[in-house]
Amino acid sequence: MRLTAHPHGRVMATLQITNLHAEVAEEGGETILRGVDLEVRSGEIHALMGPNGSGKSTLAKIIAGHPAYEVTDGSVTLLLDDEDLTDIEGDVPAEMREWELLDLEPNERAALGIFLGFQYPAEIEGVTMTNFLRQALNAKVEEREELFEEDEPDAEDEAEAEEEAGYDTSPMEGAADDGEIGVAEFQRLLKGKMELLDMDEKFAQRYLNAGFSGGEKKQNEVLQAAILEPAIAVLDEIDSGLDIDRLQDVSEGINSLRDEQGTGILQITHYQRILDYVEPDHVHVMLDGEIAESGGAELAQKLEDEGYDWVREQVYETA
């Protein structure tokens, strides 16, 4: 697997969301998204803003494959660029360069280059950051290789292999030197990424998010994205609950994802303040399950000064 950083601005993939409609996946579930159109490319930063209940977090979860929502119309497509395929041996046929994410499992979407940074990351005692991150990276490598295999694996053989593996692939089992990325190689990679993000190396020896402050948890989400090198990272309110110092640390990490790796960022936020440190190329306003307004960085400042009422009035006037 290629582990080198991508030059800033080089497009690795494009995420295309077209006429996306979705509802809560239960009988009589509420409709949340009502025709979302959005395109995010690697190397770009998009800010998605809007009031509570407008559908921002729902969109993030649907991109990642959360089962709590059912898509009733539209598509979520990932178009892969040559620069995102250099780890694949041989030529990748045209039909394997375009993937409908709604047909894939969450792990398959992650393998193709989708990352979701959680607003409330889970805490897992007994699993060190180092073991968790290496297992996650190896899982991505393995899944990615399987996705691009021309021959479908035999389902029975696959089930037997999983049964034989048992708990050997669990991060609870410690740092066994298995998987394509071995312990020594991963330690070098992790050290480099933590230096890039200006993080203390001791951070990696702690249990996953256990006892972490809110800011440390958000920094951990950025570190995961740095390790996995996604084409598109969706960051769901990663700025919530941060003091000014930690906000600056997290923002520097997000900028590094874009500048050093070429990752495309879909930054979901309520507030303009993070955009003082992470300058967006595009700003979108979501209202009532739709993208109601789009513009440049100046749009975020206008929202900060005037709120969302003017957008709502504008939408109703043109409806």
Side-chain angles (χ1 to χ4, degrees):
M1 178 186 179
R2 172 176 44 80
L3 296 174
T4 56
H6 301 282
H8 168 47
R10 179 175 292 174
V11 176
M12 292 184 289
T14 301
L15 178 67
Q16 291 183 344
I17 301 170
T18 305
N19 192 35
L20 187 65
H21 292 71
E23 61 187 25
V24 177
E26 59 185 35
E27 187 174 350
E30 178 186 2
T31 297
I32 308 294
L33 303 185
R34 297 176 172 84
V36 175
D37 293 297
L38 186 63
E39 181 174 293
V40 180
R41 295 186 176 196
S42 296
E44 297 178 342
I45 294 182
H46 291 245
L48 182 61
M49 307 181 73
N52 287 328
S54 59
K56 303 185 301 300
S57 292
T58 296
L59 176 62
K61 292 173 182 177
I62 287 174
I63 293 171
H66 199 294
Y69 302 95
E70 179 181 353
V71 173
T72 56
D73 198 5
S75 62
V76 180
T77 308
L78 189 68
L79 307 173
L80 299 179
D81 184 89
D82 286 341
E83 294 300 324
D84 199 33
L85 297 168
T86 57
D87 60 323
I88 306 300
E89 294 184 4
D91 294 330
V92 177
E95 62 269 19
M96 298 187 76
R97 293 169 177 262
E98 180 174 328
W99 296 81
E100 176 49 56
L101 297 185
L102 299 179
D103 296 334
L104 302 177
E105 295 298 321
N107 57 302
E108 295 173 319
R109 302 182 196 198
L112 288 172
I114 297 296
F115 176 86
L116 175 60
F118 293 99
Q119 182 179 2
Y120 302 109
E123 298 185 10
I124 305 179
E125 289 278 2
V127 178
T128 65
M129 287 283 301
T130 298
N131 286 347
F132 171 78
L133 290 171
R134 192 174 72 85
Q135 292 285 353
L137 181 57
N138 274 321
K140 177 184 177 179
V141 172
E142 182 179 354
E143 187 68 57
R144 188 171 172 86
E145 290 174 348
E146 291 179 2
L147 282 172
F148 285 96
E149 287 179 355
E150 293 189 10
D151 297 324
E152 291 292 328
D154 182 87
E156 185 174 339
D157 291 343
E158 195 173 53
E160 289 179 2
E162 290 180 358
E163 184 176 350
E164 289 176 3
Y167 290 100
D168 290 345
T169 58
S170 168
M172 294 292 286
E173 294 298 301
D177 198 5
D178 56 357
E180 184 164 337
I181 312 301
V183 171
E185 181 181 1
F186 180 77
Q187 289 289 355
R188 289 192 295 271
L189 172 66
L190 179 61
K191 181 178 180 180
K193 295 299 186 181
M194 297 189 79
E195 288 176 354
L196 179 67
L197 300 177
D198 195 25
M199 296 176 66
D200 189 332
E201 291 184 31
K202 295 179 181 178
F203 192 80
Q205 301 307 316
R206 298 168 64 183
Y207 293 145
L208 182 62
N209 291 322
F212 283 24
S213 68
E216 288 175 330
K217 289 180 180 179
K218 302 303 176 66
Q219 277 190 295
N220 181 26
E221 294 296 287
V222 175
L223 176 60
Q224 290 179 47
I227 291 292
L228 296 175
E229 294 192 346
I232 306 293
V234 183
L235 305 178
D236 189 10
E237 298 192 33
I238 200 167
D239 55 330
S240 63
L242 301 183
D243 61 34
I244 189 64
D245 291 332
R246 194 64 74 173
L247 177 65
Q248 291 177 344
D249 292 338
V250 170
S251 297
E252 288 173 4
I254 295 171
N255 286 327
S256 293
L257 293 179
R258 190 271 306 272
D259 296 340
E260 304 298 332
Q261 297 183 179
T263 297
I265 307 293
L266 179 58
Q267 171 69 59
I268 297 172
T269 182
H270 279 294
Y271 307 108
Q272 193 272 338
R273 64 175 190 154
I274 192 173
L275 305 182
D276 290 336
Y277 306 103
V278 181
E279 183 174 355
D281 301 294
H282 306 275
V283 176
H284 311 279
V285 181
M286 179 171 276
L287 290 177
D288 303 322
E290 299 179 82
I291 302 296
E293 185 78 10
S294 294
E298 71 282 353
L299 177 56
Q301 186 59 57
K302 185 174 182 179
L303 294 170
E304 180 76 8
D305 296 339
E306 302 181 26
Y308 295 104
D309 286 346
W310 66 271
V311 183
R312 195 179 300 277
E313 291 172 2
Q314 182 173 286
V315 170
Y316 287 152
E317 286 176 2
T318 58

